[in-house]
Amino acid sequence: MSRSLTKLKKRLPGSRWLVIAVPYIWLLVFFAIPLAIAFKISFSQAAISMPPYTPVFNWVDGSLSLDINPKNYLYLVKDSLYVNAYLSSIKIAVVSTFLCLLIGYPMAYAIARMDPSTRNIALMMVILPSWTSFLIRIYAWIGILKNNGLLNNFLMWTGLTDQPLAIMHTPLAVYIGIVYAYLPFMILPLYANLVKLDLRLLEAASDLGARPWKAFLKITLPMSKAGIIAGSMLVMIPVVGEFVIPEMLGGPDTLMIGRILWQEFFNNRDWPVASAVSIVMLVILIVPIMIFHRAQAREMESKLV
Amino acid sequence: MSQNKRQSGFSMLMLAMGFLFLYIPILSLIVYSFNESKLVTVWAGFSVKWYFELFKDQQMIDAAKVSLKLAFATACAAVVLGTMAAMVMTRFRGFRGKTLFSALITAPLVMPEVITGLSLLLLFVSLGEWFGILQQRDISTMWIAHVTFTMSFVTIIISSRLSELDRSLEEAAMDLGANRLKVFFVITLPIIAPALLSGWLMAFTLSLDDLVISSFTSGPSSTTLPMKIFSSVRMGVSPKINALASLMILIVSAAAMLAWWSMWRTEKRRQRDMQLALQQN
Amino acid sequence: MNQVTQPAASPHAKPEKAKAENYVRIEGLRKEFDGFVAVDDVSFSIRKGEIFALLGASGCGKSTLLRMLAGFERPTRGAILLDGEDIVGMAPYERPINMMFQSYALFPHMTVEQNVAFGLVQDGMGKADVAARVDEMLGLVQMSKLAKRKPHQLSGGQQQRVALARSLAKSPKLLLLDEPMGALDKKLRSQMQIELVNIVERLGVTCVMVTHDQEEAMTMAHRIAVMDSGKILQIGTPDEIYEQPNCRFTAEFIGSVNLFDGKVEEDEKDYVTIRTPGLGAPIYVGHGITGFDGMKVAFAIRPEKLNISKEEPAQKYNKAQGVIEEIAYFGSHSVYHVRLPTGVKVLCNFVNMKRWASENFTWNDTVWLSWADNSGVVLTS
């Protein structure tokens, strides 16, 4: 590493290499290396010690011996709880992403077509909720969805139901919470993309005889592909590992892997298993993350002169 | 032609319903913070007593202090690192390792917090083991963790601004005798200042609001506000939380209004100036 | 085609004799981008105090060449000598060169004064000296009254003046202009062209400008270099470029031209005849060329050099009859598109001395075109 550092130093005059090195090293040390450490510890075993796992690298008489135990991974595969949790998390993530897209796309579209002055106000109104605490907004849904909560009170008051609907602690509540929390993350990339769309293309289409819906399907939709991908990745990937929402709104049957990890770590104090859980989650997500990175890099490159 | 100019009724309807969806929970929080009854959603009369309860809760106040301090320190560091990273992404031509760097910048944007939180804790524990540093988990470990995950957001905001910036401004400054460092501090920085503020606010908000990463990397003396709220909510819903929520919403809304009003004012002034210039010549 | 001949004397040479012939010397300058050659081994020199234009279409390499002079691009090979010093290794901020950008690049967060003062402040000049110099420069461009304004409070023309003042403040050895009139409207353009040249000449600053607008180059520059695909095709004064183009490209690029491809029939010391399928009769050129019988050449003649008449002219050579197919009316003159019996179309400029169209030529008129022996140029490439 230091050899490439000196090479870098030589190529760039003055303090330029410093500007690259500082954030680079920070991210390597505090983002990349921790993942490697998690990988290492996933091969360890829980122990009553400080730290609560057995060491992987052992120095015995000056030579290195490795104590690798893939037991944790086998454990994950064998126990159906984990497999189901992974599958369930992926399912919830995909469905939520789709719901966000369904709701968010028309909203982004409407905002993109507004006059510049109203547009900014509308945008701010979309972003504003996300500046207030995420935790608190999820908490608000507890008050709305519980048995004697706002929604049920409203439904019973209007006479639509006579028994309170049990929404709290069901998968439905989790979906509502996730869509609520992640909707701005879908709207913003979609908006950024749609606003660049040249209205004249649509005018040309209608001039050539295409009806509005057709023009939308054949022109607008394909051109907003980049925004759809960015927004979808920004929702889907974090939701797979989501903890707070299923914890607060979900029930015992809403299995999400983020919750499992938390429980393994905080409740069972089994750090190695928790590490294994996170590594498997990472492996599952590596392809979507690469897709996202590719899309982001392309976006940034197109702006580079 | 006119069909395109007019907003499609469908999308406007979705927009209106979307806004309703986004804001009803927030409004409900505020309304029920004034509820006399302890049962949050059973209205029993107007009262501000929960606000007083809130201010008597010393633990909450301490947690709030920790959160604010942490968020402030995080935002400052994130802006510095994020700006450096943004300069590298937009102004430095391809060097070996740029792809890896770019991946390191974009990955934290989507990485699930449980993964980053856990892995960072393991790092601190290992560092404590090998080098004897960062043994305590406290506000400094949390600070490192927060800076790491907020930095990428700042980088995106500032990169976006930098790539829009007219490159010839920086070239002109160099042409007139300023070296690159001077150009950055005297020309680039003042011009992108609003983006820096944006980035700072974004990092501040993300840090203030964070629960998962804070939980993994905190120690006994460093409980943040979200952590306190979380443990409190686990025990049951309370209008005190509503009161806290309402205060936070009020502060954020006031800040947003202020920002919007100030932007509107500068924009109006700028337009007036340009009109004047056109008339003069 | 990079051989450059320095003409002995030119009707457009300014009275003050240039002190150094090679004040700026470009030697074998080359720039490649990933295998694409933007500037192809270019060599030429610029006199001190001269206004030198690089003229060409977009993508010809002129901007890259300018940027190498400024220091924003490193040449792949070659040398740039300014007043005897090779500046290729110098960073932009070390060179005694200043540039006026196409977008003006005025610093938006600084006032007009601060913009003009910027370069002087970077050099560590004292406050009082800076203020005096800024005053002087603003007076030069007539912007003294608007010194405290910010760029967005100025019109386009005003911004240009400030940009000019800023680039001249440090009395650079070389001033670079990147499409100086590009952002202005037509009326303002003609006015500013004259003003700019006056200021630059008054200060005696050596100047290189880049433009795609031939009118601009012809009006403003002492000498022009016509560029295409990274190479310089011809260097000369505006009238040399116009009246003595050295190749097809230059002839066609500047103004409009009639080109006839043909073969040399008689090659004598003081005259040449060319047989061309485009015209019925051979062309008689009143001077010799370095060539041989049967050599393939092109004869170029500008539309304004052609006479147009109803009756057949008396001369033996250099005439053709045709029918007026189209008339492009420009108010002060008309361009007649005359179709010859061979099928070739010839352009002929005609000054509208008579006010009414009916008294001039009209569509489908049969007319005779004719020209003098030395009105055209023989091109070998």
Side-chain angles (χ1 to χ4, degrees):
Chain A
M1 224 267 276
S2 68
R3 198 187 65 195
S4 45
L5 203 66
T6 31
K7 241 202 224 164
L8 207 68
K9 255 182 175 164
K10 279 207 201 112
R11 276 186 61 196
L12 302 165
S15 51
R16 289 188 84 190
W17 70 272
L18 199 73
V19 180
I20 298 179
V22 170
Y24 211 155
I25 293 177
W26 181 287
L27 283 171
L28 276 174
V29 171
F30 295 117
F31 184 73
I33 290 182
L35 294 174
I37 293 179
F39 184 64
K40 177 195 97 160
I41 289 175
S42 66
F43 288 112
S44 168
Q45 281 166 269
I48 317 281
S49 61
M50 197 39 123
Y53 52 83
T54 58
V56 175
F57 297 113
N58 284 308
W59 293 97
V60 178
D61 301 325
S63 66
L64 185 68
S65 85
L66 280 132
D67 182 14
I68 295 181
N69 196 333
K71 175 178 101 169
N72 297 321
Y73 289 101
L74 297 170
Y75 177 54
L76 289 181
V77 172
K78 275 200 249 156
D79 191 338
S80 62
L81 173 73
Y82 296 99
V83 176
N84 290 339
Y86 281 113
L87 291 173
S88 157
S89 303
I90 295 174
K91 182 185 88 171
I92 293 179
V94 171
V95 173
S96 312
T97 305
F98 188 68
L99 289 171
C100 281
L101 197 57
L102 220 60
I103 301 176
Y105 198 100
M107 288 179 74
Y109 190 77
I111 299 177
R113 303 277 232 89
M114 287 178 162
D115 306 319
S117 42
T118 29
R119 204 194 282 170
N120 287 330
I121 302 179
L123 261 183
M124 194 162 75
M125 288 184 65
V126 167
I127 302 179
L128 196 60
S130 27
W131 284 346
T132 55
S133 169
F134 168 81
L135 199 55
I136 278 177
R137 287 179 297 135
I138 302 301
Y139 164 81
W141 278 101
I142 300 178
I144 295 177
L145 295 175
K146 63 185 182 142
N147 282 354
N148 58 344
L150 206 59
L151 184 63
N152 278 314
N153 288 346
F154 176 74
L155 289 173
M156 293 205 282
W157 177 72
T158 55
L160 281 167
T161 57
D162 42 73
Q163 287 279 7
L165 296 173
I167 306 181
M168 258 315 270
H169 302 303
T170 65
L172 178 61
V174 175
Y175 279 116
I176 293 177
I178 291 178
V179 170
Y180 182 75
Y182 284 86
L183 196 59
F185 286 96
M186 175 62 83
I187 293 181
L188 288 176
L190 278 176
Y191 164 78
N193 192 285
L194 285 169
V195 85
K196 287 190 222 148
L197 192 71
D198 198 346
L199 258 178
R200 290 176 300 187
L201 288 170
L202 294 170
E203 285 179 10
S206 89
D207 181 65
L208 290 163
R211 300 162 118 255
W213 264 107
K214 253 248 169 103
F216 174 77
L217 279 172
K218 296 236 151 161
I219 298 181
T220 317
L221 203 60
M223 288 192 78
S224 53
K225 197 171 71 159
I228 295 177
I229 294 180
S232 303
M233 292 297 128
L234 271 172
V235 173
M236 196 173 74
I237 302 175
V239 170
V240 168
E242 181 59 48
F243 164 73
V244 176
I245 298 173
E247 179 71 13
M248 286 174 79
L249 296 175
D253 53 335
T254 11
L255 283 175
M256 285 201 79
I257 199 66
R259 239 173 137 186
I260 303 269
L261 197 160
W262 180 285
Q263 284 160 2
E264 289 296 343
F265 186 87
F266 286 106
N267 300 357
N268 299 355
R269 285 221 100 205
D270 194 339
W271 293 19
V273 169
S275 305
V277 170
S278 70
I279 295 295
V280 173
M281 204 193 308
L282 190 60
V283 168
I284 293 175
L285 292 173
I286 204 77
V287 170
I289 291 178
M290 275 177 18
I291 294 177
F292 177 71
H293 173 238
R294 199 78 80 64
Q296 269 297 103
R298 212 179 295 137
E299 173 72 23
M300 281 211 238
E301 223 122 277
S302 69
K303 291 198 194 136
L304 261 176
V305 166
Chain B
M1 266 284 229
S2 60
Q3 272 178 322
N4 288 325
K5 293 273 179 182
R6 189 202 55 189
Q7 278 290 16
S8 144
F10 173 69
S11 49
M12 279 311 261
L13 181 70
M14 287 302 288
L15 188 65
M17 299 201 48
F19 278 136
L20 226 73
F21 178 55
L22 282 174
Y23 280 92
I24 284 183
I26 296 180
L27 291 170
S28 78
L29 276 175
I30 300 177
V31 167
Y32 283 107
S33 70
F34 295 108
N35 188 1
E36 167 72 43
S37 153
K38 194 172 196 297
L39 301 166
V40 176
T41 46
V42 178
W43 188 259
F46 187 89
S47 163
V48 291
K49 76 178 188 202
W50 300 110
Y51 287 88
F52 289 109
E53 290 287 316
L54 184 64
F55 286 112
K56 281 193 259 165
D57 188 339
Q58 192 56 38
Q59 283 188 333
M60 276 283 189
I61 297 191
D62 287 341
K65 281 197 197 147
V66 171
S67 279
L68 285 168
K69 242 185 358 184
L70 180 61
F72 189 87
T74 302
C76 293
V79 166
V80 172
L81 285 170
T83 307
M84 283 189 189
M87 285 298 284
V88 172
M89 294 298 289
T90 56
R91 292 284 187 268
F92 288 38
R93 285 184 218 168
F95 54 90
R96 227 157 17 117
K98 191 166 187 193
T99 342
L100 176 62
F101 186 76
S102 150
L104 286 174
I105 294 286
T106 49
L109 292 170
V110 287
M111 189 69 72
E113 297 202 314
V114 289
I115 298 182
T116 23
L118 176 65
S119 59
L120 267 166
L121 173 64
L122 295 174
L123 174 76
F124 293 138
V125 166
S126 303
L127 284 177
E129 244 185 293
W130 302 332
F131 306 115
I133 56 169
L134 296 172
Q135 285 276 27
Q136 309 285 75
R137 261 105 54 199
D138 58 6
I139 200 166
S140 46
T141 47
M142 280 206 279
W143 174 76
I144 293 177
H146 281 212
V147 171
T148 308
F149 91 89
T150 54
M151 183 172 129
S152 304
F153 291 91
V154 178
T155 305
I156 297 291
I157 292 176
I158 298 186
S159 299
S160 170
R161 180 69 185 98
L162 278 175
S163 53
E164 283 171 0
L165 191 64
D166 188 358
R167 211 64 77 89
S168 54
L169 285 170
E170 293 168 347
E171 286 179 348
M174 278 204 287
D175 175 71
L176 289 163
N179 63 30
R180 283 187 202 269
L181 206 67
K182 267 216 197 129
V183 171
F184 178 74
F185 283 105
V186 178
I187 303 292
T188 317
L189 218 54
I191 295 179
I192 64 170
L196 291 176
L197 185 64
S198 253
W200 194 95
L201 285 171
M202 172 121 252
F204 187 82
T205 315
L206 286 169
S207 164
L208 199 62
D209 197 22
D210 175 74
L211 172 68
V212 175
I213 295 183
S214 305
S215 302
F216 277 103
T217 54
S218 68
S221 65
S222 51
T223 311
T224 61
L225 194 59
M227 289 166 72
K228 188 81 184 63
I229 296 175
F230 186 63
S231 58
S232 166
V233 168
R234 268 178 145 168
M235 291 192 286
V237 170
S238 159
K240 208 164 53 170
I241 306 286
N242 286 53
L244 178 62
S246 307
L247 282 175
M248 291 173 83
I249 293 168
L250 181 70
I251 294 174
V252 167
S253 308
M257 295 275 156
L258 195 72
W260 184 79
W261 175 77
S262 121
M263 280 200 309
W264 181 82
R265 216 178 50 150
T266 25
E267 185 56 37
K268 275 275 172 305
R269 204 190 305 146
R270 177 167 274 264
Q271 282 182 2
R272 198 178 13 111
D273 288 339
M274 299 216 291
Q275 289 280 33
L276 248 133
L278 283 169
Q279 284 170 2
Q280 289 255 331
N281 218 29
Chain C
M1 277 315 297
N2 284 324
Q3 282 300 86
V4 165
T5 44
Q6 312 274 32
S10 162
H12 288 259
K14 289 296 165 184
E16 324 94 58
K17 248 211 136 226
K19 289 217 187 81
E21 286 285 314
N22 298 328
Y23 195 60
V24 179
R25 256 210 77 72
I26 313 278
E27 286 173 356
L29 205 59
R30 186 182 183 80
K31 180 65 183 173
E32 286 175 29
F33 290 108
D34 278 333
F36 169 70
V37 182
V39 176
D40 198 345
D41 298 327
V42 162
S43 302
F44 61 96
S45 38
I46 303 173
R47 293 196 199 100
K48 185 163 182 192
E50 178 173 44
I51 300 179
F52 192 89
L54 295 171
L55 175 65
S58 18
C60 70
K62 57 189 195 296
S63 300
T64 311
L65 188 52
L66 195 77
R67 285 175 67 82
M68 284 197 278
L69 284 170
F72 300 126
E73 302 283 355
R74 265 200 101 103
T76 312
R77 227 171 34 223
I80 303 174
L81 295 144
L82 176 61
D83 207 3
E85 214 186 347
D86 188 353
I87 59 171
V88 165
M90 290 183 174
Y93 42 89
E94 293 167 337
R95 300 185 186 199
I97 299 178
N98 288 128
M99 183 155 144
M100 189 172 99
F101 290 78
Q102 186 174 3
S103 64
Y104 310 138
L106 295 179
F107 307 128
H109 57 300
M110 295 185 183
T111 61
V112 163
E113 266 179 338
Q114 289 167 331
N115 263 281
V116 176
F118 186 80
L120 304 166
V121 170
Q122 296 310 311
D123 281 353
M125 212 188 232
K127 260 178 121 169
D129 293 328
V130 169
R133 180 71 178 159
V134 168
D135 265 344
E136 191 188 332
M137 299 315 297
L138 288 179
L140 194 66
V141 297
Q142 293 153 37
M143 288 290 290
S144 308
K145 292 219 191 91
L146 303 173
K148 301 281 186 213
R149 291 248 186 115
K150 288 237 177 98
H152 69 271
Q153 294 170 308
L154 302 174
S155 70
Q158 292 168 333
Q159 288 181 8
Q160 194 202 41
R161 290 162 189 271
V162 177
L164 183 63
R166 186 177 73 176
S167 59
L168 289 169
K170 293 173 77 164
S171 307
K173 284 188 180 169
L174 184 62
L175 176 68
L176 304 174
L177 301 173
D178 188 5
E179 306 272 3
M181 305 296 154
L184 300 175
D185 59 65
K186 200 160 158 79
K187 261 256 151 71
L188 206 53
R189 213 178 283 185
S190 345
Q191 185 193 331
M192 279 310 296
Q193 280 169 1
I194 301 174
E195 254 193 73
L196 201 147
V197 169
N198 283 339
I199 293 175
V200 168
E201 283 180 351
R202 197 185 334 161
L203 296 175
V205 179
T206 313
C207 179
V208 174
M209 63 181 271
V210 150
T211 180
H212 64 276
D213 183 347
Q214 6 162 332
E215 252 187 59
E216 195 167 300
M218 307 265 269
T219 318
M220 296 174 69
H222 297 141
R223 278 194 306 151
I224 302 174
V226 179
M227 282 186 79
D228 180 49
S229 306
K231 290 186 161 52
I232 293 189
L233 299 175
Q234 187 172 358
I235 297 184
T237 60
D239 64 305
E240 278 165 11
I241 302 274
Y242 188 78
E243 300 291 8
Q244 298 167 36
N246 65 1
C247 63
R248 288 187 81 110
F249 183 89
T250 311
E252 286 178 311
F253 188 76
I254 312 277
S256 26
V257 71
N258 295 302
L259 279 172
F260 300 102
D261 288 300
K263 282 214 183 86
V264 174
E265 214 171 37
E266 292 166 55
D267 173 29
E268 299 297 331
K269 197 175 70 176
D270 51 353
Y271 74 91
V272 170
T273 60
I274 300 169
R275 170 128 340 240
T276 163
L279 296 167
I283 301 172
Y284 181 94
V285 181
H287 60 80
I289 61 166
T290 36
F292 49 88
D293 285 0
M295 180 163 142
K296 276 213 192 119
V297 292
F299 179 71
I301 182 159
R302 303 262 179 212
E304 70 275 4
K305 305 292 192 290
L306 296 169
N307 294 318
I308 184 168
S309 57
K310 280 251 159 67
E311 314 79 31
E312 179 169 355
Q315 61 203 65
K316 192 170 132 192
Y317 296 103
N318 298 343
K319 61 184 176 184
Q321 190 183 40
V323 177
I324 295 180
E325 215 173 53
E326 285 168 55
I327 306 177
Y329 180 68
F330 288 96
S332 58
H333 66 281
S334 298
V335 179
Y336 294 111
H337 297 229
V338 179
R339 177 77 63 185
L340 303 182
T342 53
V344 161
K345 192 150 79 159
V346 174
L347 298 172
C348 169
N349 279 13
F350 187 77
V351 171
N352 291 327
M353 289 287 279
K354 302 216 166 63
R355 287 173 71 206
W356 308 117
S358 51
E359 301 187 41
N360 295 318
F361 301 98
T362 184
W363 290 272
N364 297 319
D365 275 358
T366 305
V367 292
W368 277 96
L369 298 171
S370 58
W371 60 93
D373 294 347
N374 279 315
S375 295
V377 179
V378 180
L379 304 173
T380 50
S381 56

